[in-house]
Amino acid sequence: MTETTRKTGVSRRTLLKGTAGLAGLAAGSGAITGFPYVMSAEPKVLRYLGTAVNEGDDISKQCLKDTGIKIEYVTATTDDVTKRVMTQPNSFDVLDTEYFSLKKLVPSGNILALDAKKIKEFDNITPVFTKGETPGGKKIGNQGTAPWKVLYLEGRDSKTFAKSATEFVTLIPTVYNADTLGIRPDLIKRPINSWAELLNPEFKGKASILNIPSIGIMDAAMVVEATGKYKYADKGNMTKEEIDLTMKVMTEAKKAGQFRAFWKDFNESVNLMASGETVIQSMWSPAVTKVRSMGIACTFQPLKEGYRSWASGFCVSKGVSGAKLDWAYEFVNWFLSGYAGAYLNRQGYYSAVLSTAKAHMEPYEWAYWMEGKPAEKDIKAPDGSLLEKAGAVRDGGSYEDRMGGVACWNAVMDENDYMVRKWNEFIAA
Amino acid sequence: MDTSDELLQQASPGFARGSGQTRQKAARLSPSFISWLQAGPMMLVFLAFFLIPLVFVVIVSFWDYNEYQLLPAFSGRGYTDTFEGCIAQLPQLCTIGKTYLKTLKLCFMVWAITLFIGFWVAYFLAFHIKSKTWQMGLSLLCTIPFWTSNVIRMIAWIPLLGRNGLVNSGLLKVGVIDQPVEWLLYSEFSVVLALVHLFTFFMVVPIFNSMVRIDKSLIEAAYDAGATGFQTLVNVIIPLAKPGIVIGSIFVITIVMGDFITIGVMGGQQIAAAGKIIETRLNALQFPAAAANAVILLAITFLIITMMSRIVDIRKEL
């Protein structure tokens, strides 16, 4: 239901044939008559598989304008992206996926590590990814599949992650965020400051959590820790006993009628919150923005236990080579060069290369989104609609405060298989 | 077989007028060959898009798997994982058992309600509307909801049934309730309601189809013989409408048994259904386990349909 796939009318094979033919034609005609424009008519097309996070018409239009590369989006849910990489690795060129998926993707051998030396801005990528600390030097929590644990491979075709930096990068980081709970302050009417509130009987029948097992269980773990029931060694890599314990707490709450519904995609979470079916739930930052742009009070509430973070980036399908691979590098380099980063920053996400994004943003925008300062002017969304009036302050404050407050990262556990079965039981209970 | 013989007979005058060569060729085409030829295209489609994929599903359900790939070695893990811990819990039903039972329960409720509504709608169309034009017009009217997508018709219930929805705010205003009714949405009630809304039409059409074919003189004869309306219904109309009832039931049961989207959306993702298990397994890349569940679901559905076709021999009745 949530998957929308845009297909191209041209198959990969005919495209390659066509490209080769055109190139031949260009070479031949160039030698005889010297028409250079035939070369430039060569279609530069990349099929881009990912969730909708990074995919915007504005980004693809700007990319076409700057580089001549036409981006064809193939949009799928996080689970479906992984499934596609496993089962149809030739159905895409560039892959936009999350770091936690790498534990499944890398052993499958279907993705190609990118060469860090060919990425112009690689050394400017925020230390959040490379060192696990903020630019200001705050240490970031490393529970779960933190990006720096899976950023490098030992060799080009290696299926094992390297302990230290190599030139082979699994995913070139693009976008990330620190997630927390969304609340309806107008319906709750008191301060909320702990993950434990999600299971507070006060919100019986008005709470929700997302039904994506690997992420949902992390939120559940944040709640269990916040209530003081248990302290995990690593919330992102639980033992079977820890999974049982976590699911037991959640199941009891579910049986007591705590949850109104579970959600699986962006729009479901927006609808639950906007209609008042729920007042507290796991939420994503742009979903909160969406609710607020409908004129309904909604807060992406910072909590004292910290944030659950995620990050995504680009890699390339194993089948991509030659000119297409060059375009892929060109595209990734373009993506990190500022326009896209500024665009994502204005949506409330964070861009991987801060310096280039900053150059593409107005100082007052940078101050609001990244430095946690009150907005000097009205803050507008990338599409020009009003997001916040002057004077507003971003939930959770500055980049340093938010990313510095990350407690754990979205993860795939060693006991993933067992966890999924237990999660199913929780949903069915 | 009958049709092919008829076709041959219809064709033979043409052959007789044709040259001797054609007649010889025609003679060599045996009737059974022509039957195969006629059934062939459908058979190929059936083979390519149903039977072969089904065989693959069964084969894959016996493979082993890990986090990121299928391991083509014989293994019952798809099945044993599915029923893990079920025997140990025995007096109590395990989750998977509960899930299948819940699916059956929802299926039965939807079947019973759609049958009841569908039967009377069809009855009204077939016996109370005398003019053929009106019959056509009204049955076309029944299809209008189908001009919008399934998903939209389903989601349209949400603003109606929600905590601050139309029904609740209406009831609050009238003063029937002083607290919004919670069970209207994200409950078994809303699931059954949406499914009935979506699938009653699949009952109406086949039942109506059987009913219009009932010879009206049979009903007159029953009336003349002094049968009451109820006796006519039970002894004449229902037996003659049975094929339609069974076909409609097969439609509804197969759709509801496999449904997970309606149950997911209307149940707030809190009600598990057999189809949901398959979806979750697929999302976790556990294809053999998903296939095993698909085989189990198929077996259960097949069993129900076999039982139904025991009651009525559809082929004979048609």
Side-chain angles (χ1 to χ4, degrees):
Chain A
M1 212 180 93
T2 49
E3 182 178 353
T4 48
T5 310
R6 277 173 246 179
K7 283 203 183 90
T8 141
V10 189
S11 81
R12 199 179 125 76
R13 188 177 293 265
T14 48
L15 186 74
L16 282 178
K17 272 188 199 157
T19 316
L22 266 181
L25 196 79
S29 63
I32 301 163
T33 57
F35 285 137
Y37 68 85
V38 181
M39 262 316 255
S40 64
E42 176 187 21
K44 289 162 92 176
V45 180
L46 288 176
R47 293 167 304 167
Y48 174 128
L49 172 66
T51 57
V53 174
N54 286 344
E55 300 181 347
D57 276 347
D58 294 333
I59 290 183
S60 64
K61 273 182 202 149
Q62 189 69 32
C63 176
L64 184 66
K65 212 165 97 186
D66 293 350
T67 64
I69 295 172
K70 190 169 182 300
I71 297 296
E72 280 171 358
Y73 289 129
V74 182
T75 311
T77 61
T78 309
D79 284 338
D80 286 334
V81 167
T82 312
K83 237 188 292 176
R84 230 170 206 270
V85 175
M86 301 294 177
T87 55
Q88 306 165 55
N90 292 324
S91 69
F92 64 93
D93 303 315
V94 174
L95 174 68
D96 166 8
T97 191
E98 286 180 51
Y99 279 85
F100 76 82
S101 303
L102 285 172
K103 275 193 171 175
K104 291 181 178 185
L105 298 183
V106 168
S108 80
N110 287 344
I111 59 168
L112 189 69
L114 290 179
D115 188 344
K117 283 187 294 191
K118 291 190 187 168
I119 305 296
K120 279 186 206 128
E121 299 286 346
F122 192 80
D123 294 333
N124 287 330
I125 284 172
T126 167
V128 166
F129 287 93
T130 47
K131 294 184 194 146
E133 57 186 47
T134 63
K138 274 190 197 166
K139 266 281 170 225
I140 298 175
N142 73 341
Q143 291 192 9
T145 311
W148 55 90
K149 293 184 192 167
V150 291
L151 190 61
Y152 301 106
L153 285 184
E154 283 177 348
R156 187 178 295 280
D157 293 314
S158 171
K159 288 182 182 177
T160 33
F161 299 109
K163 294 268 181 299
S164 57
T166 66
E167 60 184 276
F168 303 107
V169 182
T170 50
L171 281 182
I172 302 292
T174 51
V175 61
Y176 50 103
N177 206 349
D179 282 353
T180 180
L181 296 176
I183 63 161
R184 281 282 298 266
D186 55 329
L187 297 177
I188 291 183
K189 296 185 184 116
R190 68 173 176 85
I192 296 289
N193 66 6
S194 166
W195 281 86
E197 300 279 8
L198 188 70
L199 293 190
N200 189 337
E202 186 187 331
F203 307 124
K204 188 179 160 191
K206 293 178 179 175
S208 174
I209 193 167
L210 76 177
N211 185 11
I212 300 173
S214 55
I215 306 175
I217 196 158
M218 300 293 280
D219 283 353
M222 292 294 280
V223 172
V224 170
E225 253 186 19
T227 57
K229 280 203 182 85
Y230 185 76
K231 188 138 182 60
Y232 300 87
D234 184 347
K235 286 187 275 294
N237 203 2
M238 300 182 190
T239 62
K240 281 191 175 177
E241 291 73 35
E242 285 173 331
I243 293 170
D244 287 344
L245 171 103
T246 315
M247 295 327 297
K248 186 167 162 271
V249 173
M250 298 305 281
T251 308
E252 276 166 12
K254 188 190 170 198
K255 285 195 169 147
Q258 182 71 10
F259 301 109
R260 180 64 171 150
F262 300 116
W263 61 267
K264 193 144 194 183
D265 71 39
F266 181 91
N267 288 321
E268 279 177 340
S269 77
V270 170
N271 291 340
L272 281 176
M273 211 60 167
S275 64
E277 297 294 337
T278 60
V279 297
I280 183 167
Q281 66 175 27
S282 311
M283 232 173 158
W284 293 334
S285 168
V288 172
T289 311
K290 179 83 197 275
V291 174
R292 217 183 286 172
S293 70
M294 293 159 83
I296 296 161
C298 189
T299 309
F300 201 46
Q301 184 63 50
L303 302 166
K304 64 178 181 218
E305 294 87 6
Y307 297 87
R308 172 188 52 74
S309 193
W310 59 268
S312 66
F314 285 137
C315 65
V316 172
S317 167
K318 202 82 175 182
V320 172
S321 60
K324 202 157 225 191
L325 187 57
D326 293 338
W327 306 337
Y329 276 109
E330 194 182 347
F331 169 67
V332 175
N333 276 324
W334 174 83
F335 202 95
L336 297 179
S337 72
Y339 175 87
Y343 186 92
L344 293 167
N345 273 3
R346 286 192 197 102
Q347 285 184 313
Y349 296 118
Y350 293 123
S351 64
V353 182
L354 300 176
S355 52
T356 56
K358 188 174 184 177
H360 279 75
M361 288 170 87
E362 298 291 330
Y364 79 91
E365 288 181 312
W366 184 262
Y368 171 80
W369 288 112
M370 302 299 288
E371 292 169 348
K373 291 181 181 153
E376 276 174 42
K377 298 181 197 170
D378 287 351
I379 297 295
K380 301 228 167 80
D383 64 4
S385 65
L386 182 73
L387 272 187
E388 293 291 348
K389 294 215 172 79
V393 180
R394 181 175 184 172
D395 299 333
S398 69
Y399 179 78
E400 282 287 322
D401 285 346
R402 282 174 55 126
M403 288 315 293
V406 166
C408 62
W409 294 80
N410 281 356
V412 170
M413 304 184 182
D414 293 340
E415 294 289 351
N416 185 51
D417 184 32
Y418 183 75
M419 189 274 289
V420 169
R421 266 182 282 153
K422 288 288 147 185
W423 185 268
N424 260 348
E425 289 184 14
F426 160 61
I427 296 295
Chain B
M1 287 292 275
D2 295 344
T3 35
S4 64
D5 287 340
E6 270 171 32
L7 267 178
L8 258 190
Q9 276 164 13
Q10 279 168 7
S12 49
F15 285 133
R17 260 182 268 121
S19 68
Q21 259 188 337
T22 338
R23 201 180 302 154
Q24 265 185 344
K25 257 190 196 164
R28 259 188 270 133
L29 290 177
S30 71
S32 76
F33 177 78
I34 290 177
S35 311
W36 280 107
L37 212 65
Q38 285 172 323
M42 186 58 210
M43 221 170 63
L44 283 180
V45 169
F46 192 69
L47 200 72
F49 296 103
F50 181 70
L51 276 181
I52 294 175
L54 194 65
V55 169
F56 278 131
V57 169
V58 175
I59 293 174
V60 168
S61 77
F62 285 104
W63 280 6
D64 200 2
Y65 57 95
N66 64 20
E67 276 294 284
Y68 48 86
Q69 61 185 355
L70 300 174
L71 307 170
F74 182 85
S75 155
R77 200 179 142 206
Y79 294 90
T80 48
D81 269 9
T82 304
F83 292 104
E84 192 195 26
C86 279
I87 294 169
Q89 283 187 25
L90 244 187
Q92 278 186 327
L93 215 52
C94 56
T95 315
I96 196 89
K98 275 189 217 154
T99 308
Y100 276 105
L101 214 63
K102 171 71 64 81
T103 314
L104 281 173
K105 180 185 161 196
L106 289 173
C107 188
F108 178 78
M109 285 163 77
V110 173
W111 171 75
I113 298 171
T114 51
L115 177 60
F116 182 80
I117 301 174
F119 184 85
W120 291 114
V121 171
Y123 185 89
F124 176 78
L125 286 175
F127 297 115
H128 282 260
I129 310 294
K130 301 289 179 216
S131 112
K132 279 264 182 273
T133 331
W134 274 102
Q135 268 184 356
M136 284 299 286
L138 287 176
S139 40
L140 275 180
L141 205 67
C142 290
T143 67
I144 287 181
F146 285 77
W147 297 357
T148 53
S149 101
N150 242 359
V151 177
I152 290 173
R153 274 179 293 148
M154 175 169 81
I155 289 174
W157 283 107
I158 294 177
L160 211 67
L161 301 175
R163 180 178 283 134
N164 306 309
L166 274 179
V167 174
N168 264 325
S169 48
L171 289 177
L172 278 171
K173 242 178 214 156
V174 177
V176 181
I177 48 170
D178 52 3
Q179 278 281 335
V181 184
E182 303 267 320
W183 54 259
L184 283 179
L185 187 59
Y186 304 135
S187 58
E188 273 180 38
F189 168 78
S190 58
V191 170
V192 172
L193 183 72
L195 288 171
V196 166
H197 170 221
L198 291 178
F199 303 132
T200 300
F201 187 66
F202 292 105
M203 275 294 193
V204 174
V205 172
I207 299 178
F208 172 70
N209 207 19
S210 311
M211 278 182 177
V212 286
R213 290 207 247 157
I214 296 175
D215 192 343
K216 296 285 187 296
S217 56
L218 289 176
I219 296 165
E220 276 166 30
Y223 181 76
D224 290 344
T228 62
F230 182 73
Q231 282 171 325
T232 317
L233 181 73
V234 173
N235 296 317
V236 181
I237 296 174
I238 292 183
L240 288 173
K242 253 190 197 167
I245 294 174
V246 171
I247 292 171
S249 303
I250 290 175
F251 278 150
V252 170
I253 288 169
T254 44
I255 297 173
V256 175
M257 284 299 282
D259 182 278
F260 61 95
I261 292 177
T262 316
I263 297 178
V265 171
M266 299 305 292
Q269 310 286 357
Q270 300 216 49
I271 297 173
K276 187 77 199 167
I277 300 178
I278 299 174
E279 196 211 7
T280 324
R281 290 297 199 162
L282 283 178
N283 284 342
L285 294 167
Q286 300 164 352
F287 292 101
N293 276 291
V295 170
I296 295 167
L297 181 64
L298 189 73
I300 295 174
T301 314
F302 192 70
L303 209 71
I304 299 175
I305 290 171
T306 317
M307 285 192 314
M308 298 191 78
S309 45
R310 274 283 166 84
I311 302 170
V312 181
D313 184 349
I314 302 176
R315 265 179 301 177
K316 205 180 102 199
E317 301 276 351
L318 283 177

